[in-house]
Amino acid sequence: MKTEKIILKNETGLHARPASEIAKIASKYQCTINLIVNDKTINAKSILNIMAAGIKSSTEIEIQCDGTDEEAALAELLQAFNNNFGE
Amino acid sequence: MKITDLLSKDAIKLNGVMSSKEESINQLIELMTTNGNILDKEKYKQVVLKREEEGSTGIGEGIAIPHGKTDAVTKPGLSAMVVPDGVEFNSLDGQPAKLLFLIAAPNTKDNVHLDVLSRLSTLLMDTEFRKALLNAKTPEEFLMCIDRAENVKISENKDYNNSYEILAITACPTGIAHTYMAAEALEQMGEKLGHKVKVETHGSSGVKNKFTKEEIKNAKAIIIAADTKIDFSRFDGKKIVKAKVADGINKPKELIEYALSDQAKVYHSNVKNEINDSNEKEGVWTQIYKHLMNGVTHMLPFVVGGGILTAIAFLLDDYSINPANFGMNTPIAAFFKTVGGAAFNVMLYILAGYIAMSIADRPGLAVGFVGGILAVQGTTFASLSDSSIVLVSSGFLGALIAGFVGGYIVVFLKKICSYLPDSIEGIKTILLYPVFGILLMGLFMLIINPYVAGINTAINNYLSSMGTANKVLLGALLGGMMAVDLGGPVNKAAYTFGTGMLASGQYEIMAAVMAGGMVPPLAIALLATLFPKKIAKKDRQAAYVNYIMGLSFISEGAIPFASSDPLRTIPAFIIGSAVTGALSMAFNCTLMAPHGGIFVIATIGHPLMYLLAILIGTIVSALIMAKLKKNLPEHSK
């Protein structure tokens, strides 16, 4: 399992668009991908799950990828986070 | 904010038949306007459409949540539409959208649309809920579905809210005042800042408001505001902020904010350097103070019980029967003296044991305890071979040294044992630490005993033979120290010295110390009585309560008044307490109990003169404050 902790930087938090972007990326991979926020586990492949968490700016998020393509999945997700989802 | 607060039945359309994404958005905007929250329909529509260009809000599962945040919206609102046959929405999963929600959000900083989105998504995750919405026959039924689902979710949320964001522990050496003041300050500040805070108090009456495992699990951070040693082991993996108990009282906001920030360090019980890290930050003196106070805290009950019972023995006895055996002449006196003596005899063992335990955790206790016993016995190497040598106790000073050295012996042993294979981990605490710890402790005590006993005897002789002038000076110094920080380190230094001297049979010093500590709260109360205008009206009631605080020897009662105006109050306290301490010495008052204030007056030598000393100091202090402090206007708050 690969994990990485990041702080959500984009000002508006994980609203619909970034949430769908995460889900879009996550769905491409076979591995299980979860976001851990405040001890809650969120399935990163479900937009609804991500949006329901209502993650606000400067929240700490742990990305957990577990499976055959975990490394690539984590790398692409990190890149999306670091680019602030193009915002 | 509830979904049903944002969505009215007029903004819901069931059985929509839509041919395109744009048509359905237009329809949703029309519905939205019935909420009366859209200033400029065109502008709002542009924003919503622009958002769709960035990426479809058709999030799959037949759901679409278009939204727009703009100045054209006055307050947040929702509109909803059910399209039974679905409408093409460029959804992520390619499926047509059947359940459409439009969110309107004003252009404010608090990102209200994120909250709405979050709530809505939470509800929509439930397949049954989506089905119920699609099958709703009327807008009323649609709304009712949402209302019902929301109430269920909210009650779940409430359970979650029952947990606390921050857990805090407060503790001070005496455990009477600071502990609870810090607890209150943290709780109130938490409420003010909107963070739920639960405080576990480690006071003299034990641990109150204890955290459950669940609460620790749910907490984001732990604040420790304590001047005594707190066991961290149950907080493994949590962010911990360590501070003095005074910071809990004076800087609750900073502590809470720091605890929730990323700067707060996560504690791991198995990582040693991190503990050392935080200890280093505390500074050597803070650490020594903390270890010492752990010893004093545990010793106090023995001194109080033993001291008062012994004093009662003297009260009940008849001096004339046999002056040399005073206190044991009548059976009833002998009873009190024996029981009190039993408690008194172990006070120094307890002191040494718990100082060592504070330094080295549980393995330190036995080593320090034995060191304390050896210090009290005064055993030396010379006495082992020559039984005619009269042993001289190393007393209070010896026990202090035994406690600290014993603690560090065990720390040293732990370091050495860390090189041993893990397979013998189990025998370290049960075999190696006790055997080698006590052995080394014994060697050390027997070596230093002759010298420490010498110093101890010298101090005793000096104190016993001290001329009146020096006694008065010492009384003034100790009395004044009691008032400097009202329960802080300086106060505790004087107090510890006083209790330590009880063990050596020097009762005058304790009398001066307690008298000095009683003055500040009494002076505040007297000031409020004689010159009410000097104290704000809202504080006056609390000032009168200080009569009781002062008479009970709780110096801490004066803290709120001192901290609000330190430059005018503290000097007055110090002078008044010094006067009282000096007078108590001059009057040869004695006190065998280290606490109790007016309630142990019967056990005080020269009680009337003692009261006079306190009264004079109180008047002096109150008058100085009356002179220094300005009159406050009556309406001030």
Side-chain angles (χ1 to χ4, degrees), chain B residues 88-157:
Chain B
E88 178 51 44
F89 217 86
N90 307 328
S91 292
L92 295 171
D93 57 359
Q95 299 295 315
K98 291 181 177 176
L99 256 182
L100 291 80
F101 286 91
L102 176 70
I103 303 176
N107 197 6
T108 51
K109 265 219 139 160
D110 53 3
N111 284 321
V112 60
H113 76 294
L114 193 63
D115 285 332
V116 179
L117 203 57
S118 159
R119 279 199 92 99
L120 203 53
S121 313
T122 312
L123 299 178
L124 287 171
M125 274 197 293
D126 184 350
T127 326
E128 291 303 312
F129 173 69
R130 296 202 300 263
K131 242 187 233 162
L133 288 184
L134 287 172
N135 292 332
K137 299 278 186 307
T138 61
E140 284 86 355
E141 195 186 329
F142 189 92
L143 267 181
M144 233 158 64
C145 281
I146 297 179
D147 197 38
R148 211 178 306 134
E150 239 184 349
N151 283 338
V152 172
K153 284 287 168 208
I154 285 171
S155 62
E156 279 171 12
N157 264 344

Side-chain angles (χ1 to χ4, degrees), chain A residues 7 11-17 20 24 38-40 46-49 51-56 58 60, chain B residues 51 54 59 63 65 67 69 92 111 113-115 117-118 121-122 124-125 130 160 217 220 238 262:
Chain A
I7 305 285
E11 263 177 49
T12 41
L14 280 191
H15 54 96
R17 207 185 49 78
S20 57
K24 229 189 287 176
N38 293 338
D39 291 339
K40 279 190 285 189
S46 155
I47 305 178
L48 276 178
N49 261 297
M51 290 201 304
I55 305 165
K56 302 219 162 130
S58 12
E60 186 182 71
Chain B
R51 172 64 187 81
E54 287 172 15
I59 56 172
I63 301 165
I65 312 181
H67 49 268
K69 178 178 165 182
L92 295 171
N111 284 321
H113 76 294
L114 193 63
D115 285 332
L117 203 57
S118 159
S121 313
T122 312
L124 287 171
M125 274 197 293
R130 296 202 300 263
Y160 182 73
K217 202 180 127 224
K220 287 183 185 159
K238 288 284 167 190
D262 307 317

Side-chain angles (χ1 to χ4, degrees), chain B residues 520-541:
Chain B
L522 287 174
I524 284 290
L526 188 66
L527 179 73
T529 311
L530 298 180
F531 307 96
K533 281 181 184 165
K534 302 287 180 187
I535 288 178
K537 203 171 182 184
K538 71 174 171 66
D539 295 330
R540 246 170 252 163
Q541 207 55 42

Side-chain angles (χ1 to χ4, degrees), chain B residues 436-459:
Chain B
F436 290 103
I438 291 173
L439 174 72
L440 290 173
M441 185 83 245
L443 286 173
F444 179 82
M445 287 317 292
L446 262 61
I447 292 170
I448 67 155
N449 262 343
Y451 308 103
V452 182
I455 299 172
N456 199 47
T457 315
I459 295 178

Side-chain angles (χ1 to χ4, degrees), chain B residues 357-616:
Chain B
M357 183 163 161
S358 171
I359 296 168
D361 294 328
R362 204 171 306 159
L365 180 64
V367 177
F369 212 100
V370 173
I373 294 175
L374 291 171
V376 172
Q377 288 177 347
T379 315
T380 64
F381 279 118
S383 73
L384 296 177
S385 51
D386 182 356
S387 56
S388 67
I389 292 179
V390 180
L391 294 177
V392 182
S393 169
S394 293
F396 179 63
L397 192 59
L400 269 186
I401 296 173
F404 279 98
V405 172
Y408 287 112
I409 284 177
V410 177
V411 170
F412 169 73
L413 284 175
K414 281 182 174 176
K415 272 241 166 72
I416 293 185
C417 288
S418 64
Y419 296 110
L420 295 175
D422 286 343
S423 51
I424 60 158
E425 183 69 40
I427 67 161
K428 283 183 192 170
T429 45
I430 195 63
L431 188 68
L432 298 183
Y433 298 153
V435 173
F436 290 103
I438 291 173
L439 174 72
L440 290 173
M441 185 83 245
L443 286 173
F444 179 82
M445 287 317 292
L446 262 61
I447 292 170
I448 67 155
N449 262 343
Y451 308 103
V452 182
I455 299 172
N456 199 47
T457 315
I459 295 178
N460 269 341
N461 289 343
Y462 176 71
L463 290 175
S464 312
S465 65
M466 202 161 43
T468 311
N470 282 342
K471 263 170 61 183
V472 166
L473 214 58
L474 182 66
L477 175 71
L478 291 172
M481 280 170 77
M482 291 301 286
V484 170
D485 49 5
L486 305 166
V490 179
N491 165 297
K492 287 287 179 282
Y495 183 66
T496 308
F497 181 65
T499 52
M501 287 302 110
L502 286 183
S504 313
Q506 300 284 350
Y507 302 129
E508 293 182 5
I509 292 168
M510 192 64 235
V513 164
M514 183 164 97
M518 288 168 73
V519 165
L522 287 174
I524 284 290
L526 188 66
L527 179 73
T529 311
L530 298 180
F531 307 96
K533 281 181 184 165
K534 302 287 180 187
I535 288 178
K537 203 171 182 184
K538 71 174 171 66
D539 295 330
R540 246 170 252 163
Q541 207 55 42
Y544 298 140
V545 176
N546 262 316
Y547 275 122
I548 298 166
M549 294 277 205
L551 291 174
S552 319
F553 181 40
I554 299 177
S555 316
E556 282 90 339
I559 290 178
F561 301 92
S563 55
S564 62
D565 190 9
L567 290 178
R568 295 190 184 86
T569 49
I570 298 274
F573 290 162
I574 296 176
I575 296 169
S577 295
V579 167
T580 294
L583 288 174
S584 167
M585 280 291 212
F587 296 154
N588 291 322
C589 299
T590 58
L591 170 64
M592 291 179 193
H595 219 292
I598 199 77
F599 302 105
V600 291
I601 193 82
T603 69
I604 289 170
H606 308 293
L608 289 179
M609 297 313 271
Y610 195 65
L611 290 180
L612 182 66
I614 294 171
L615 184 64
I616 292 174

